[in-house]
Amino acid sequence: MKKKFDKYWFNSSGEDDYSMLFAFAVILDPRYKLSFLKYCYESIFEDEIEAILKISDVRFKLGMLFKEYAPKTRVPYETSLTPSSNSNTMSTSSSDHKRKFDIFADYDKREASSSCAKTQLDIYLDDPKMGRKVGLDILIFWKENEHWYGELSHLARDILTVPLTTVASESTFSI
């Protein structure tokens, strides 16, 4: 039994590294998120620094996976104050005015696309956890909250539908 357990919780390389898929599934459960994973890793690893590094690694890899689901092209933020491109009606004095608005538009675009902007994953992780004893169908939760979490809900449904065991398939072959 321990051999089967290790097969799913440890990498095939034999390193003492717990499966990312299980970690992602725990994080994507709105009752647990990162706090339960942190508790588990602190219990498993005797060294607190190693646990923190593992948590950071899982969080980084989940962020990288989320980027694969995010739209590839983003519409830059535009203000309604940006002047139109019809320069025939603009006088010379208004060209200085246009440059000022262009500076603000460039600033707004930079701010909108800056790395400090929160992703759907960041928003989800910052939201309060649900009660642990709440009866919850996680797949229905992600489907119902697709309008709020967008691409993250697609990632969550893809990860959470992966079978977490091969007992059924192995027992079929054993029969």
Side-chain angles (χ1 to χ4, degrees), residues 147-162:
H147 66 281
W148 183 249
Y149 296 116
E151 291 84 15
L152 182 61
S153 69
H154 296 278
L155 172 118
R157 287 185 279 172
D158 286 348
I159 286 177
L160 294 170
T161 57
V162 173

Side-chain angles (χ1 to χ4, degrees), residues 90-167:
M90 297 185 100
S91 66
T92 318
S93 63
S94 68
S95 66
D96 290 335
H97 190 67
K98 179 182 188 265
R99 273 196 304 240
K100 288 180 185 175
F101 280 122
D102 285 345
I103 290 170
F104 288 117
D106 290 342
Y107 172 77
D108 288 339
K109 287 178 187 176
R110 181 179 291 170
E111 285 297 303
S113 65
S114 71
S115 61
C116 64
K118 285 190 170 189
T119 64
Q120 294 163 346
L121 178 60
D122 295 329
I123 292 168
Y124 165 74
L125 292 174
D126 288 344
D127 285 347
K129 294 183 300 183
M130 296 177 102
R132 186 177 60 83
K133 295 183 179 181
V134 170
L136 176 72
D137 184 327
I138 300 172
L139 293 175
I140 291 174
F141 168 85
W142 283 107
K143 185 174 183 171
E144 289 175 349
N145 288 286
E146 181 178 2
H147 66 281
W148 183 249
Y149 296 116
E151 291 84 15
L152 182 61
S153 69
H154 296 278
L155 172 118
R157 287 185 279 172
D158 286 348
I159 286 177
L160 294 170
T161 57
V162 173
L164 298 180
T165 182
T166 61
V167 171

Side-chain angles (χ1 to χ4, degrees), residues 15-75:
E15 296 175 19
D16 191 22
D17 187 19
Y18 289 87
S19 171
M20 286 290 155
L21 186 62
F22 283 106
F24 292 168
V26 169
I27 293 170
L28 294 170
D29 187 327
R31 297 168 294 185
Y32 301 110
K33 299 188 180 183
L34 276 171
S35 62
F36 186 68
L37 187 68
K38 182 178 184 231
Y39 170 79
C40 290
Y41 279 178
E42 288 172 352
S43 300
I44 293 169
F45 301 108
E46 295 175 11
D47 184 14
E48 184 179 339
I49 293 174
E50 186 177 1
I52 291 169
L53 290 173
K54 294 286 184 183
I55 293 165
S56 297
D57 184 47
V58 169
R59 174 65 178 87
F60 174 76
K61 289 178 179 173
L62 182 59
M64 295 300 292
L65 182 60
F66 174 70
K67 283 182 181 179
E68 293 296 319
Y69 279 77
K72 300 298 180 209
T73 57
R74 298 217 182 257
V75 177

